[in-house]
Amino acid sequence: MQKIRSGPLAALLLGSILTPALAQAADSNAIRASALQDDVAWDITEGLTTEVGPRPAGTPQEALARDWSVAKLKALGFSNVRAEPYKMPVWQRVRDEAHIVSPFPQNLVVAALGNSGSTPEAGIEGEIVYFPTIADLLAAPDGSLKGKIAFVSHEMKAAQDGSGYGYYGAARRQGPSVAAKKGAIAILVKSIGTDHHRIAHTGVQMWADGVTPIPAVALSVPDAEQLARVAARGKPVRIHLTAVSKRLKDQPSGNVIAEIPGSDPKAGLVVAACHLDSWDQGTGAIDDASGCGIIAAAALQVAKAGQPRRTIRVLFAGAEEVGGDGGRAYFAAHGKEPHALVAESDFGADKVWRVDFTLPTGHDALAGRIAQGLAPLGIVPSKDKAHGGSDIEPLVKAGVPVIDLQQDGTRYFDIHHTPDDTLDKVDLIQLRQNVAAWAVTLEAVANAPESMGVN
């Protein structure tokens, strides 16, 4: 057999005899290696957090972030870059303060929850009723909290998959409505977080139908534990709480969209999503500037390898933190377009360790190719179904296939929704691993010969 010499001709000959599976592996190897040297994701994350900073939904800062993103994505070479506006109601924090009046006077570190009712400027004062869990609050008799301030705790622990957030987060999401129904004048909730820093974790909560909002604030974890110890002394505990906020109607928000055009318009869109807004306390580095950096950088890595079959659409959604307004607006505008697959990056910037699939029947081979391409990055496939995130939830509910690239969440809830959500928490090496995982996945899906259910 004649020996094939190295060089361009040898590479061409080798490419011509590779099986499709080997060719796919070769593409994954090249994209993965390039992405592990990527600087775009860091550039976007650093730029958003430095040049814009906090980006609360429906505010001028979020509008600045949209303008910044449109300019950046155009400069990076994306096509069809535009902002798509919509309007929404906005809740704004003004001033949060709390202290124990008696029996042991001392200050408490608090942050109002999104959609909190407002106290008067002078604040309010009341006796607390302590509930170790949301279940204890639910069990309290109707009317038993009249004139009182509810205090609800929990025991959330760190987990790689962040699974405690859904369960323990009920104290924040449902606790205020439950307390209001039982007559409370306000509620204090132990921060839904896993750190022991003296900073409070904010986050949105929605009032149940017919409930009049009351002031609802989160306590830092150390302060919640301190207040529990004070309550355990058996003496009445009085709190003075100031949580002034305001509400605005019909404020401008919007999504930012950019594309890597595909060669086959009939093959459907591959949507990679993140969210552009953040809470007001930090600069939104892990939640979710890094996610926007990851998906944009990954799409560009695919483009560097050649025009994909399917168009890759990058969605920087607005107003995710306050209830997913951007995802709903995207679905209203684009839900009838053919979508081949959706995925979202919104769980920080630490390494991807697992991949979940919800694909059409008969697409096991595609899942296998993706898993093979991800394996060198230390990522394993699971048997769990993918569910996506808030910004793609309407599309997933409509039946669009979805892939979840699950990030390591062990430290995520130490930082989530706090003043500590800043750029220094993003690790460049792990950020690049995310870009590589996303690039391998997007390339495989965008070039897959399978129909993905698109007619």
Side-chain angles (χ1 to χ4, degrees), residues 36-362:
L36 287 171
Q37 302 300 316
D38 175 80
D39 288 321
V40 172
W42 178 267
D43 187 41
I44 290 174
T45 307
E46 190 274 343
L48 269 174
T49 56
T50 302
E51 297 176 24
V52 180
R55 307 170 296 280
T59 67
Q61 294 97 318
E62 192 196 34
L64 178 60
R66 287 194 298 279
D67 293 342
W68 187 97
S69 298
V70 167
K72 186 68 173 179
L73 292 168
K74 286 181 177 178
L76 288 169
F78 281 89
S79 299
N80 304 322
V81 183
R82 71 271 194 191
E84 297 188 343
Y86 55 85
K87 291 188 175 181
M88 57 173 288
V90 170
W91 173 91
Q92 287 187 343
R93 180 193 324 278
V94 176
R95 184 162 59 94
D96 304 330
E97 295 175 3
H99 63 268
I100 300 174
V101 175
S102 62
F104 312 123
Q106 54 194 280
N107 290 331
L108 300 169
V109 174
V110 298
L113 299 174
N115 293 325
S116 170
S118 182
T119 68
E121 287 286 342
I124 59 174
E125 186 174 310
E127 183 179 335
I128 71 161
V129 180
Y130 173 48
F131 301 98
T133 69
I134 183 67
D136 296 311
L137 174 62
L138 285 164
D142 291 344
S144 62
L145 297 182
K146 187 175 181 179
K148 307 289 187 180
I149 297 176
F151 165 39
V152 183
S153 191
H154 62 84
E155 294 299 331
M156 183 178 174
K157 304 297 182 185
Q160 187 178 32
D161 63 359
S163 55
Y165 184 61
Y167 179 80
Y168 294 105
R172 185 194 83 204
R173 294 188 300 269
Q174 283 85 49
S177 288
V178 175
K181 286 180 179 179
K182 295 180 184 293
I185 60 171
I187 182 172
L188 309 175
V189 177
K190 182 180 180 182
S191 283
I192 310 302
T194 52
D195 65 303
H196 276 78
H197 297 161
R198 205 173 181 204
I199 52 177
H201 298 238
T202 190
V204 76
Q205 49 84 40
M206 301 295 185
W207 298 103
D209 291 343
V211 172
T212 300
I214 60 174
V217 304
L219 285 161
S220 78
V221 172
D223 285 74
E225 293 176 348
Q226 176 81 330
L227 186 57
R229 287 190 292 268
V230 172
R233 295 299 197 266
K235 299 178 180 179
V237 181
R238 293 190 66 80
I239 298 287
H240 188 276
L241 172 65
T242 304
V244 180
S245 60
K246 61 183 179 180
R247 295 174 182 269
L248 306 172
K249 295 181 179 180
D250 296 327
Q251 297 302 297
S253 185
N255 298 326
V256 173
I257 288 175
E259 294 174 346
I260 303 296
S263 61
D264 183 0
K266 295 181 180 180
L269 299 163
V270 179
V271 171
C274 64
H275 68 83
L276 195 54
D277 64 310
S278 76
W279 283 104
D280 55 324
Q281 298 191 102
T283 59
I286 68 159
D287 189 18
D288 186 30
S290 57
C292 293
I294 288 163
I295 64 168
L300 289 173
Q301 289 290 340
V302 176
K304 283 170 58 177
Q307 185 181 26
R309 178 189 172 204
R310 294 181 172 89
T311 293
I312 299 173
R313 178 177 287 171
V314 169
L315 168 63
F316 288 13
E320 185 273 346
E321 293 291 3
V322 295
D325 295 66
R328 290 190 295 274
Y330 176 86
F331 187 75
H334 301 284
K336 293 182 179 179
E337 297 174 21
H339 287 80
L341 184 124
V342 290
E344 181 167 0
S345 179
D346 182 19
F347 198 45
D350 284 354
K351 66 181 180 180
V352 178
W353 66 282
R354 194 183 86 195
V355 58
D356 305 335
F357 299 96
T358 299
L359 300 178
T361 302

